[in-house]
Amino acid sequence: MLWEGISEFVSVAEKNSFTQASQQLGISTAQVSRQITALEKRLNTKLFYRTTRKVSLTEEGQIFYQHCRGVLDGLEAAERAITNLQTKPQGTIKLTAPVTYGEQQILPLINNFIQLYPEVEVTAFLTNQKMDLVENGFDLAIRIGNLADSTLIAKKLSQRSNYVCAAPSYIKKHGMPHSLSELEQHSCLMGSNDYWRFIDSGKERNIRLSGRLRYNSGIALADAALKGLGIVQLPNYYLQPHIDSGQLITLLDNYKIPNETIWALYPHNRQLSAKIRLLIDYLAKELTE
């Protein structure tokens, strides 16, 4: 009720004409007149002097116009601000990602992104735990592999491969395994898990292994493999440059597990703003190149 007749009143006050106000608002002159009459009745105040030739504001109408014009200006500014948020990325993005993948792949791209969009601020929390996005106020999560059923919306960003590798110096000294059973005869560089994943006869299989080294750091495991200390199984972002350069040789490729998908997740009940949409598209483009 508070807003009824306000736009009509301001338009008539500025045009000094019911007819011109109706044309500006795209409604009939009769409708404009009804709204003004109802507004005057609600305020118990005469807002216009009306003659057959002229429409002008009363003293009360002039005071009311000044306040209404300010209110409408504020509303228009609010609408412009929302429109700008939808078209020009600005504000804070809060995201979470796995520790190593976040450090090596996501955060460097975030640094590039905020150079492109200097009005965007990013808060990132790296953890291998699956955080509750809604409860913890995250706009976005980066996840790897199979997703549990949830209310989150998922967009595919990229894929990661897992390789079994060893340095040529290790292979020269200890030979190359050709079957999964032969791994027990080798020095395996182990991470947080005590097993490696393979596809054997079309089914996924976990092989429990042991070795001289056990690190919860992929970077340290890759370094150990480069120095000929054993065989390692790691995602491609640890190994790919060394494979391309010949410093590491891939092994047991026939048993390699399928690529795992990298996902961007966000709450379904949160409208995707320009900054989040642009960041997801940017990550998808950069991670697939």
Side-chain angles (χ1 to χ4, degrees):
M1 287 290 294
L2 289 175
W3 288 100
E4 287 186 10
I6 299 300
S7 295
E8 291 84 352
F9 164 72
V10 169
S11 184
V12 172
E14 292 176 345
K15 296 293 184 181
N16 293 318
S17 167
F18 280 75
T19 301
Q20 291 184 32
S22 69
Q23 293 171 349
Q24 181 186 51
L25 298 171
I27 58 179
S28 68
T29 303
Q31 186 174 350
V32 172
S33 180
R34 283 195 298 270
Q35 290 284 24
I36 298 298
T37 299
L39 181 62
E40 289 178 323
K41 184 176 180 180
R42 190 167 78 244
L43 296 173
N44 194 28
T45 300
K46 188 176 183 66
L47 298 173
F48 291 104
Y49 295 115
R50 301 173 179 84
T51 68
T52 56
R53 299 166 56 183
K54 187 178 180 181
V55 175
S56 60
L57 287 166
T58 64
E59 181 179 356
E60 294 83 357
Q62 186 67 45
I63 294 171
F64 191 60
Y65 167 76
Q66 296 298 331
H67 286 282
C68 289
R69 181 68 267 175
V71 170
L72 289 181
D73 288 343
L75 180 60
E76 290 171 2
E79 289 181 353
R80 285 195 301 273
I82 293 300
T83 300
N84 288 338
L85 283 173
Q86 297 300 319
T87 57
K88 182 181 181 182
Q90 55 186 290
T92 301
I93 299 173
K94 185 178 179 183
L95 64 88
T96 180
V99 176
T100 303
Y101 189 76
E103 287 178 335
Q104 294 199 8
Q105 303 291 313
I106 298 299
L107 295 191
L109 292 177
I110 296 293
N111 293 338
N112 295 340
F113 181 79
I114 63 173
Q115 286 183 303
L116 295 174
Y117 303 103
E119 293 186 38
V120 173
E121 300 177 4
V122 177
T123 298
F125 181 68
L126 302 184
T127 176
N128 292 329
Q129 297 180 345
K130 288 182 170 55
M131 306 295 291
D132 186 308
L133 270 64
V134 175
E135 182 178 336
N136 293 281
F138 287 107
D139 300 298
L140 189 65
I142 307 300
R143 301 265 170 87
I144 301 173
N146 295 329
L147 299 176
D149 291 337
S150 73
T151 58
L152 300 175
I153 297 175
K155 177 178 174 60
K156 180 179 176 181
L157 296 178
S158 183
Q159 291 184 316
R160 78 168 183 183
S161 302
N162 285 276
Y163 292 106
V164 175
C165 288
S169 59
Y170 177 88
I171 295 171
K172 183 177 180 180
K173 185 175 181 180
H174 300 283
M176 181 184 297
H178 297 283
S179 67
L180 298 183
S181 61
E182 293 178 42
L183 282 173
E184 296 178 357
Q185 305 166 21
H186 287 268
S187 175
C188 295
L189 308 173
M190 304 302 297
S192 300
N193 297 323
D194 60 356
Y195 62 86
W196 288 353
R197 298 164 58 206
F198 296 97
I199 291 294
D200 188 13
S201 301
K203 295 182 180 179
E204 186 166 330
R205 182 180 172 191
N206 296 335
I207 305 294
R208 295 193 178 277
L209 298 165
S210 60
R212 293 170 56 200
L213 296 179
R214 180 181 296 275
Y215 299 150
N216 67 342
S217 166
I219 294 173
L221 289 171
D223 181 71
L226 285 166
K227 292 174 178 175
L229 297 179
I231 300 173
V232 71
Q233 184 183 63
L234 285 172
N236 60 299
Y237 43 84
Y238 291 107
L239 305 174
Q240 198 65 57
H242 309 306
I243 294 172
D244 294 342
S245 68
Q247 292 175 287
L248 291 175
I249 307 298
T250 62
L251 309 172
L252 302 170
D253 290 341
N254 291 338
Y255 299 94
K256 183 175 175 292
I257 62 172
N259 291 346
E260 296 176 299
T261 301
I262 312 293
W263 303 96
L265 279 74
Y266 57 93
H268 79 286
N269 59 349
R270 191 169 298 173
Q271 185 176 357
L272 201 59
S273 63
K275 60 180 181 285
I276 304 297
R277 183 176 62 253
L278 277 172
L279 177 57
I280 291 174
D281 291 343
Y282 179 80
L283 292 174
K285 177 178 180 295
E286 294 298 318
L287 290 170
T288 54
E289 288 187 345

